Amino acid sequence: MDKTIAPADVTATYLLGLADDALIYTQRLGEWMSRAPQIEEDMALGNIALDLLGQARALLTRVGELDGTGRDEDALAYLRDEREFRNVHLVERPRGDFGDEMARLLWFSSYQFELYSQLTSSTDEVLAGVAAKAIKEVTYHRDHATQWVLRLGDGTPESHARMQAALDRVAPYVDELFTDTATDEAATTSGVGVLPSQLRSAATAYVRSVVDEATLAMPAEPRRRARGGRDGIHSQAMGYLLAEMQHIHRSHPDATTW
Amino acid sequence: MDKTIAPADVTATYLLGLADDALIYTQRLGEWMSRAPQIEEDMALGNIALDLLGQARALLTRVGELDGTGRDEDALAYLRDEREFRNVHLVERPRGDFGDEMARLLWFSSYQFELYSQLTSSTDEVLAGVAAKAIKEVTYHRDHATQWVLRLGDGTPESHARMQAALDRVAPYVDELFTDTATDEAATTSGVGVLPSQLRSAATAYVRSVVDEATLAMPAEPRRRARGGRDGIHSQAMGYLLAEMQHIHRSHPDATTW
Amino acid sequence: RGEGGDFERLVSTDGRVEPRDEMPDAYRQTLIRQIAQHAHSEIIGMQPEGNWISRAPSLRRKAILLAKVQDEAGHGLYLYSAAETLGVDRSELLDKLHNGQQKYSSIFNYPTLTWADVGAIGWLVDGAAIMNQVPLCRCSYGPYARAMIRVCKEESFHQRQGFELLWTLSRGTERQRAMLQDAANRWWWPALMMFGPPDTGEAAKGGHTEQSMAWGIKRFSNDDLRQKFVDMTVPQADKLGVTLPDPDLRWNAERGHYDFGPIDWDEFWRVLKGDGPCNEERIAHRVSAHEEGAWVREAASAYADKLASRSTGAVA
Amino acid sequence: RGEGGDFERLVSTDGRVEPRDEMPDAYRQTLIRQIAQHAHSEIIGMQPEGNWISRAPSLRRKAILLAKVQDEAGHGLYLYSAAETLGVDRSELLDKLHNGQQKYSSIFNYPTLTWADVGAIGWLVDGAAIMNQVPLCRCSYGPYARAMIRVCKEESFHQRQGFELLWTLSRGTERQRAMLQDAANRWWWPALMMFGPPDTGEAAKGGHTEQSMAWGIKRFSNDDLRQKFVDMTVPQADKLGVTLPDPDLRWNAERGHYDFGPIDWDEFWRVLKGDGPCNEERIAHRVSAHEEGAWVREAASAYADKLASRSTGAVA
């Protein structure tokens, strides 16, 4: 895929992965609005979704500048096909219960925390700026997930069991976050990016500390591992997500502004 | 809506309602493929969906001839917006359990049975031809629903309760099937159509006989009634159904053939 | 303080009644009912707009909509807190919402069918709500008045955003403009119904308006507020190039107001009593979120108890 | 009949073994396993294609796809019936599918990511299946052989439809052609793996091929079938203007066959053992349909019992 469909520019391709992670996760988090366990949580998940959407917009805009296609954030979000999206499977996974969401958020925010901590010194100034802003947001996201994993893990017997099951269900999606692609390597060489594999131990150590404190267990090595998201190979859930996200925009091909 | 968005020609508008009922119900029935309670039922529901899709295609093609827009079946199915669809709410209702589906199918096929029995003498020859073919299909659909309502109603205590609950849930959607619109009146006057209100007693009598034999009770007058489908006023479920149905087609505006 | 006379004096001098003050039970119950209904409306109101978050046709609008729905959750929280100062608690009020003992604004029983509906809700529904709510910023009950000040500020912002969304459509393609007109057609009359049934002239007899006015909870009649809303909104419709769906709507120079046609109160009562397009759906959605979240709330509470007992243990 | 010699004679003379005939237990067990796996593949195979019914980009294609998925259900039924002649029943076999004791074709653990995948499944996956199945029409076990005749007829029809879908894309827009090429890239190697691991030369030792051939269940080795498939398919790819993703693929005039590159058997084993993109999803989907339908099957069975006892009652 890197050779044929992705934008030629390595930086653009690299940024597109980060942007799509944030955009697609925004879609999933947005599904919680009016469905959260308590009203405070509708607000919190809405906040996190807004932060991620802000990251996605800044990054997509930058991609459009870099890749030479002149696409704006909306063209990139609404007019690409599934195989052109570069997000990891973790973020496209259909919404599960609240435990699943907190397991996903704990891993994703721990990953993003390590990622953006390093990217503040990216040679791409826009990315460095996004990272500097994002690091504060992501610190809050990670803390929010942490608090909930503690409450659920060390709450009632039911919540303990459900939180453990959620961690187990999310486990197959973790490895992909920390797997290097050729684009990652090229972007790291150029000083724009960072190798995901170098984020693994710190992020995992953080998650482990939370899981331990929550009286839960780190899942065993999962039998299967999601892969291919960065090459545009997604799960079957992705097409439905995009159908919903893009339908109105695509239904008005001649509309120039919304 | 009749004045502004629907095709000017009364016949076309009338046929569009019948076509959209069949098309949208095809979408819902198609969701059962690989999800039915037994393999024979995957086949049966697939058959029914295919019959309805055939009706929809013939009717949509006729609409495109009559309304002067020159649209083919695909333009009508894939490129209309939600407010231009004229189906009743019953068929767009999200898939429930198998009891819900049989309650919906019993009502819909009983309605279509009376409808097509009369439309064989429509002054629109295409419609008369569709009706003549459909009547055999619909007889099978109605019989299929009947057999299942009997089995579920007079099966186990659980299935009895679930089938009754399903009939009750479907009840708010029945009235709309038999409510006359201005288009129905004009189409009846011209000899093309038939008034839905004139189908009510025969269809209801049939359903009642099945419900009785199944040891079930006809639901009480429902507190609410769905309305407006024929004017393009749908439920919130409709937009998601159309997003899914239309996304790929709309994603390729320059494709001329599939 | 502590004397029955304080309440009457406070109310008659346009002072603020505070939670610690004595107040007549009927006043307390009226406030609880009204504030709860208002809070419920914010919470249920998240659904029709939330319906479009995943499908917003631009990322900028998606962000605005997400923030707006989130604000509504926030308004719900302020209002439940205001109600709690009257001696009830949120979970009790939510139970009453879920089992139908308390209402929410009937406007949210209408579906959002197109993207333009998101704008129409901001323009018309929030517009009508603000008209109702601005006087409540001077309500005799302090916590409610203060919550309303904050709510109204955010609501005006939402109202302007809704108008701006529609303004953009009005400068757009033919289909975008048709979408705008269609939304106005569908939301105009329900918005007028938001002010409630007539309560002036003949209709004044037997309603709650008089008592609520005497208590300083209500400042204007439903009909006066409705007229103000029409007078404010018609020029805005002109700016949007929208024809409001009322053939009787015209400026009456003599009255200095717009005249408008008769409202279909049968529809109002029908929807209020449960036969609206989305009544069942709204409550079912809300109840299912509540039930699916029960284990989470229980866990949070158990964890808080553990923390409390641990810190007690540490002290002991 | 009834003598051990009958089976050997039937098999060695290319006759048909029928359910009432005696047969070695190993033969019976091998057939049950193979027919069940084949039936399971039809049932699980409904999912990747069923995934596109709601989104098919034309109504004509939607009808073709609906009919095809329905045919797969039908194939499943014939095959379960054939297996039942060997003394097992469908519900037992389904349980073994659901709990992982029996397998289905690993190809269905790949996702259908674009509309072109529907065509690629018809062209490549059905094409490979037919190559495997045509010899089974002469299988020594009668009911299986007869089921395969019917299945193969319908499968060839599906294969042509798949090719025709792709042919249409190949005459379409640049994006449609890219979709076609991408699908071929992703399905080519998994299709080659459908013939199973090498079973000729060194690899022949220790496999089941020899015994199955002796029993007249298998007629050609995996490698021979794979070669036939490649030879048949490469010219079709040319017609579609598709480049198959194998740099080593070229005509070998000496062998009279196409040479092709090494297959990634690590991927094959990985997916077979559960680490494929959709293994969990396919089984979970199937199990949930089965469990959600339990009350329906129970009701049908209870109702049938009632009818039977009523008619007995009437007779008595």
Side-chain angles (χ1 to χ4, degrees):
Chain A
M1 287 297 297
D2 278 359
K3 283 176 225 152
T4 53
I5 296 185
D9 188 279
V10 166
T11 305
T13 307
Y14 179 75
L15 292 186
L16 199 53
L18 309 190
D20 286 344
D21 284 352
L23 177 62
I24 301 303
Y25 198 15
T26 299
Q27 284 295 108
R28 290 299 184 210
L29 286 170
E31 295 174 16
W32 280 101
M33 299 306 286
S34 79
R35 293 192 183 89
Q38 55 193 32
I39 303 168
E40 290 82 352
E41 199 55 27
D42 282 298
M43 296 182 71
L45 293 176
N47 249 327
I48 296 170
L50 273 168
D51 288 341
L52 291 173
L53 182 53
Q55 294 169 18
R57 294 178 65 191
L59 293 169
L60 287 175
T61 300
R62 180 64 174 154
V63 168
E65 288 166 11
L66 289 170
D67 76 357
T69 61
R71 288 176 291 184
D72 66 10
E73 58 178 29
D74 287 336
L76 285 162
Y78 293 102
L79 300 175
R80 275 183 299 152
D81 294 329
E82 176 176 333
R83 294 280 283 109
E84 299 169 88
F85 277 82
R86 294 179 53 83
N87 55 281
V88 294
H89 286 232
L90 178 69
V91 297
E92 75 196 46
R93 193 171 173 251
R95 190 172 72 97
D97 72 12
F98 188 72
D100 286 278
E101 202 56 82
M102 290 305 106
R104 162 154 65 184
L105 184 62
L106 181 63
W107 272 112
F108 187 69
S109 60
S110 299
Y111 157 75
Q112 275 205 327
F113 180 87
E114 303 303 333
L115 175 74
Y116 284 128
S117 298
Q118 305 229 4
L119 290 180
T120 50
S121 50
S122 168
T123 54
D124 185 88
E125 284 182 23
V126 173
L127 177 55
V130 169
K133 179 163 182 289
I135 192 74
K136 298 188 200 83
E137 300 165 349
V138 171
T139 302
Y140 160 73
H141 306 171
R142 194 177 71 157
D143 183 61
H144 189 75
T146 299
Q147 295 309 318
W148 272 115
V149 172
L150 293 178
R151 284 186 202 112
L152 298 176
D154 197 13
T156 65
E158 181 189 4
S159 73
H160 179 87
R162 291 182 71 155
M163 190 65 232
Q164 184 65 57
L167 285 170
D168 294 348
R169 282 192 294 267
V170 163
Y173 301 91
V174 171
D175 187 63
E176 190 184 12
L177 288 169
F178 305 112
T179 301
D180 301 337
T181 65
T183 299
D184 293 324
E185 284 162 11
T188 304
T189 304
S190 70
V192 167
V194 51
L195 284 179
S197 59
Q198 296 193 339
L199 312 172
R200 187 191 294 258
S201 71
T204 305
Y206 182 81
V207 169
R208 186 184 303 276
S209 73
V210 175
V211 166
D212 286 350
E213 192 185 337
T215 73
L216 297 161
M218 286 295 269
E221 195 59 34
R223 192 170 69 151
R224 75 184 179 92
R225 282 176 294 174
R227 46 172 76 77
R230 300 272 185 243
D231 289 327
I233 304 282
H234 296 285
S235 63
Q236 289 188 178
M238 185 71 173
Y240 298 93
L241 181 150
L242 293 180
E244 201 173 307
M245 181 171 93
Q246 298 181 334
H247 181 244
I248 300 299
H249 187 96
R250 293 218 193 231
S251 295
H252 291 265
D254 53 346
T256 54
T257 178
W258 286 100
Chain B
M1 287 297 295
D2 279 359
K3 284 176 227 152
T4 52
I5 296 185
D9 188 278
V10 168
T11 305
T13 308
Y14 179 75
L15 293 185
L16 199 52
L18 309 190
D20 286 344
D21 284 353
L23 176 63
I24 301 304
Y25 198 14
T26 300
Q27 284 295 109
R28 290 299 183 210
L29 286 170
E31 294 173 17
W32 281 100
M33 298 306 286
S34 79
R35 293 191 183 90
Q38 55 193 33
I39 303 168
E40 290 82 352
E41 200 55 27
D42 282 298
M43 296 183 71
L45 293 176
N47 251 325
I48 297 171
L50 272 168
D51 288 341
L52 291 173
L53 182 53
Q55 295 170 18
R57 293 177 64 192
L59 292 169
L60 287 175
T61 300
R62 181 65 175 152
V63 169
E65 287 164 14
L66 289 169
D67 77 355
T69 59
R71 288 176 291 183
D72 65 9
E73 58 178 30
D74 287 336
L76 284 162
Y78 292 101
L79 300 175
R80 276 183 298 152
D81 293 330
E82 175 176 332
R83 294 281 284 109
E84 300 169 87
F85 277 81
R86 295 180 52 81
N87 56 282
V88 293
H89 287 232
L90 178 69
V91 297
E92 76 195 45
R93 192 169 174 251
R95 191 171 70 98
D97 71 14
F98 188 71
D100 286 277
E101 203 56 83
M102 290 304 106
R104 163 154 66 183
L105 184 62
L106 181 64
W107 272 112
F108 187 69
S109 59
S110 299
Y111 156 76
Q112 275 204 327
F113 180 87
E114 303 303 333
L115 175 74
Y116 284 128
S117 298
Q118 305 229 6
L119 290 180
T120 50
S121 52
S122 169
T123 54
D124 185 89
E125 283 181 23
V126 173
L127 176 56
V130 169
K133 179 164 184 289
I135 193 74
K136 298 188 201 83
E137 298 165 349
V138 171
T139 302
Y140 160 72
H141 306 171
R142 195 177 69 157
D143 184 61
H144 189 76
T146 299
Q147 296 308 318
W148 272 115
V149 172
L150 293 178
R151 285 186 201 110
L152 298 176
D154 197 14
T156 65
E158 181 190 4
S159 72
H160 179 87
R162 290 181 72 156
M163 190 65 233
Q164 184 65 57
L167 285 170
D168 295 348
R169 282 193 295 265
V170 163
Y173 301 90
V174 171
D175 188 63
E176 191 185 11
L177 288 169
F178 305 111
T179 300
D180 301 337
T181 65
T183 299
D184 294 324
E185 284 162 12
T188 304
T189 303
S190 70
V192 166
V194 52
L195 285 179
S197 59
Q198 296 192 338
L199 312 172
R200 188 191 294 259
S201 70
T204 306
Y206 182 82
V207 169
R208 186 185 302 276
S209 72
V210 175
V211 167
D212 285 351
E213 193 185 336
T215 73
L216 297 162
M218 287 293 270
E221 194 59 34
R223 193 169 70 153
R224 76 186 179 91
R225 282 176 295 174
R227 43 173 78 76
R230 299 273 185 243
D231 290 328
I233 304 282
H234 295 284
S235 64
Q236 289 188 176
M238 184 71 173
Y240 297 93
L241 181 151
L242 293 180
E244 201 173 307
M245 181 171 93
Q246 298 181 334
H247 182 244
I248 300 300
H249 187 96
R250 293 218 194 232
S251 294
H252 291 265
D254 52 347
T256 55
T257 179
W258 287 98
Chain C
R1 192 158 315 285
E3 293 174 35
D6 283 3
F7 174 78
E8 298 300 337
R9 188 174 46 74
L10 272 173
V11 166
S12 63
T13 59
D14 216 9
R16 292 284 165 278
V17 181
E18 294 298 332
R20 61 187 176 278
D21 296 329
E22 288 207 17
M23 59 191 92
D25 194 53
Y27 175 85
R28 184 186 299 271
Q29 295 309 324
T30 297
L31 273 172
I32 289 174
R33 188 176 41 76
Q34 178 170 335
I35 301 174
Q37 171 160 341
H38 194 161
H40 298 332
S41 300
E42 297 285 353
I43 297 308
I44 297 288
M46 295 169 72
Q47 290 181 38
E49 297 184 90
N51 185 40
W52 284 90
I53 291 172
S54 68
R55 296 179 286 170
S58 78
L59 297 185
R60 175 170 160 263
R61 293 286 176 199
K62 190 190 288 284
I64 292 172
L65 183 56
L66 255 170
K68 182 181 173 188
V69 176
Q70 197 199 19
D71 281 348
E72 284 160 3
H75 296 175
L77 280 184
Y78 313 153
L79 287 159
Y80 286 123
S81 298
E84 286 182 328
T85 64
L86 291 157
V88 288
D89 66 54
R90 197 210 300 184
S91 66
E92 189 184 328
L93 299 176
L94 284 174
D95 287 344
K96 287 185 175 168
L97 167 64
H98 299 161
N99 68 24
Q101 279 181 269
Q102 291 180 345
K103 299 280 183 199
Y104 55 89
S105 175
S106 206
I107 191 80
F108 299 121
N109 290 320
Y110 291 86
T112 47
L113 299 181
T114 75
W115 170 249
D117 289 13
V118 171
I121 287 185
W123 176 41
L124 297 174
V125 176
D126 292 344
I130 294 166
M131 202 59 84
N132 268 328
Q133 289 164 10
V134 164
L136 290 170
C137 298
R138 297 189 292 116
C139 165
S140 60
Y141 188 62
Y144 190 23
R146 289 187 291 274
M148 290 321 300
I149 290 170
R150 192 158 165 194
V151 168
C152 281
K153 203 169 138 188
E154 293 183 2
E155 295 264 22
S156 330
F157 185 59
H158 297 161
Q159 203 264 352
R160 282 197 300 277
Q161 285 176 326
F163 185 84
E164 197 260 327
L165 187 164
L166 297 179
W167 169 256
T168 305
L169 294 181
S170 79
R171 322 303 290 175
T173 65
E174 193 181 331
R175 279 169 68 217
Q176 286 176 311
R177 292 198 306 275
M179 193 191 284
L180 158 61
Q181 178 64 57
D182 173 56
N185 292 346
R186 285 181 290 106
W187 290 95
W188 174 248
W189 289 110
L192 293 194
M193 293 177 197
M194 285 177 69
F195 297 94
D199 60 351
T200 48
E202 271 304 297
K205 293 164 192 160
H208 300 288
T209 297
E210 201 177 349
Q211 177 63 76
S212 283
M213 283 192 172
W215 277 337
I217 298 175
K218 198 169 168 68
R219 303 275 173 185
F220 300 97
S221 74
N222 296 347
D223 293 310
D224 288 347
L225 290 168
R226 183 160 25 238
Q227 182 68 60
K228 277 181 80 162
F229 175 71
V230 172
D231 292 346
M232 178 187 80
T233 309
V234 172
Q236 294 172 350
D238 288 342
K239 281 198 194 111
L240 293 175
V242 154
T243 307
L244 293 171
D246 179 357
D248 297 331
L249 190 70
R250 65 178 58 85
W251 179 250
N252 182 326
E254 202 171 320
R255 291 206 303 128
H257 289 296
Y258 283 92
D259 289 340
F260 54 96
I263 291 172
D264 181 358
W265 292 108
D266 286 348
E267 175 176 324
F268 174 80
W269 292 113
R270 181 166 66 67
V271 175
L272 195 75
K273 284 173 184 156
D275 187 12
C278 301
N279 303 52
E280 276 183 21
E281 189 177 336
R282 299 296 185 227
I283 288 294
H285 178 115
R286 175 65 216 150
V287 167
S288 112
H290 191 73
E291 288 174 355
E292 282 165 17
W295 70 279
V296 176
R297 295 189 302 276
E298 284 156 18
S301 155
Y303 182 75
D305 290 348
K306 280 188 196 178
L307 282 197
S309 75
R310 274 174 209 159
S311 76
T312 311
V315 169
Chain D
R1 195 159 313 284
E3 293 175 35
D6 283 2
F7 174 79
E8 297 301 336
R9 188 176 44 76
L10 272 173
V11 165
S12 64
T13 60
D14 215 8
R16 290 285 165 279
V17 181
E18 294 300 332
R20 62 188 175 280
D21 296 330
E22 288 207 17
M23 59 191 91
D25 194 54
Y27 175 83
R28 184 187 299 272
Q29 295 310 322
T30 296
L31 275 172
I32 290 174
R33 188 176 41 76
Q34 179 171 333
I35 301 174
Q37 172 160 342
H38 193 161
H40 298 332
S41 299
E42 296 285 353
I43 297 308
I44 297 290
M46 295 169 72
Q47 291 180 38
E49 296 184 89
N51 185 40
W52 286 91
I53 291 172
S54 68
R55 295 179 287 169
S58 77
L59 296 185
R60 174 171 161 264
R61 292 286 175 200
K62 190 190 288 283
I64 292 172
L65 183 56
L66 254 170
K68 182 182 174 187
V69 176
Q70 198 199 18
D71 281 348
E72 285 161 1
H75 296 174
L77 279 184
Y78 313 152
L79 287 159
Y80 285 123
S81 298
E84 286 183 330
T85 65
L86 291 159
V88 288
D89 66 54
R90 196 209 300 182
S91 65
E92 190 184 326
L93 298 177
L94 284 174
D95 286 345
K96 287 184 176 167
L97 167 63
H98 300 162
N99 68 23
Q101 279 182 271
Q102 291 180 345
K103 298 282 183 196
Y104 53 89
S105 175
S106 206
I107 191 80
F108 299 120
N109 290 320
Y110 291 86
T112 47
L113 299 182
T114 75
W115 170 249
D117 289 12
V118 171
I121 287 185
W123 174 43
L124 298 174
V125 176
D126 291 344
I130 293 166
M131 202 59 83
N132 268 327
Q133 290 164 9
V134 164
L136 290 170
C137 299
R138 298 189 291 117
C139 165
S140 61
Y141 187 61
Y144 191 23
R146 288 188 292 275
M148 289 322 300
I149 290 171
R150 193 159 164 192
V151 168
C152 280
K153 206 169 135 186
E154 294 184 2
E155 295 263 24
S156 327
F157 185 59
H158 297 163
Q159 202 264 353
R160 283 197 301 277
Q161 285 176 327
F163 185 83
E164 197 260 326
L165 187 165
L166 297 179
W167 171 256
T168 305
L169 294 180
S170 78
R171 321 303 289 175
T173 64
E174 192 180 332
R175 279 169 67 217
Q176 286 176 310
R177 292 198 306 275
M179 194 190 282
L180 158 61
Q181 178 63 57
D182 173 56
N185 291 346
R186 285 181 290 106
W187 290 95
W188 173 249
W189 289 110
L192 293 194
M193 294 178 196
M194 284 177 70
F195 297 93
D199 60 352
T200 49
E202 271 304 296
K205 294 165 190 159
H208 299 287
T209 297
E210 201 176 350
Q211 176 63 76
S212 284
M213 283 192 172
W215 277 336
I217 298 175
K218 197 170 169 69
R219 303 274 171 182
F220 301 96
S221 73
N222 297 346
D223 292 310
D224 287 348
L225 290 168
R226 184 163 22 240
Q227 182 69 59
K228 276 181 80 165
F229 175 72
V230 172
D231 292 347
M232 178 187 80
T233 307
V234 173
Q236 294 172 350
D238 288 343
K239 282 199 193 106
L240 293 174
V242 154
T243 306
L244 293 170
D246 178 358
D248 297 330
L249 189 68
R250 65 178 58 86
W251 178 251
N252 181 328
E254 201 171 322
R255 291 207 303 128
H257 290 294
Y258 284 93
D259 289 341
F260 53 96
I263 291 172
D264 181 358
W265 292 108
D266 286 347
E267 174 177 323
F268 174 80
W269 291 113
R270 180 166 65 68
V271 174
L272 193 77
K273 284 175 184 155
D275 187 12
C278 300
N279 305 50
E280 275 182 22
E281 188 176 338
R282 300 296 186 225
I283 288 294
H285 178 115
R286 174 65 217 150
V287 168
S288 110
H290 191 73
E291 288 176 354
E292 283 165 17
W295 69 280
V296 175
R297 294 189 302 275
E298 284 158 19
S301 155
Y303 182 74
D305 291 349
K306 280 188 197 179
L307 282 195
S309 75
R310 274 174 210 159
S311 74
T312 311
V315 170

